[in-house]
Amino acid sequence: MDKKFKKRFIAGAVCPKCKAQDSLLLFFENGVERIECVDCGHTQSQTEAQVAKAGVKQNDVIGVFKPE
């Protein structure tokens, strides 16, 4: 079942590709944390296991993402 959750902007975040600020959306899709730049379309993803390894629970924070 495809579950797509509400997308949220990440305040102050900078796209690793185009360097635009305040253009990244964070959302979970099928248990995968994803970010997407609304300016250039760049995307990155992390599985729940990678998020858990960072030491936080999905409900504790909006997201833990370390752009490449």
Side-chain angles (χ1 to χ4, degrees), residues 3-18:
K3 284 191 170 185
K4 212 170 200 179
F5 295 93
K6 184 176 179 179
K7 294 181 179 183
R8 299 178 182 109
F9 276 98
I10 307 170
V14 176
C15 175
K17 184 175 179 185
C18 72

Side-chain angles (χ1 to χ4, degrees), residues 17-37:
K17 184 175 179 185
C18 72
K19 307 302 183 210
Q21 186 170 0
D22 296 328
S23 65
L24 292 180
L25 292 171
L26 172 72
F27 59 99
F28 280 87
E29 184 176 37
N30 296 323
V32 176
E33 183 180 56
R34 300 179 53 88
I35 61 166
E36 179 179 343
C37 178

Side-chain angles (χ1 to χ4, degrees), residues 35-67:
I35 61 166
E36 179 179 343
C37 178
V38 296
D39 287 351
C40 72
H42 175 73
T43 61
Q44 283 184 270
S45 61
Q46 294 187 134
T47 64
E48 282 186 21
Q50 291 170 310
V51 173
K53 187 176 177 184
V56 295
K57 296 178 192 168
Q58 180 177 344
N59 295 331
D60 288 346
V61 294
I62 293 174
V64 174
F65 226 97
K66 296 179 182 175

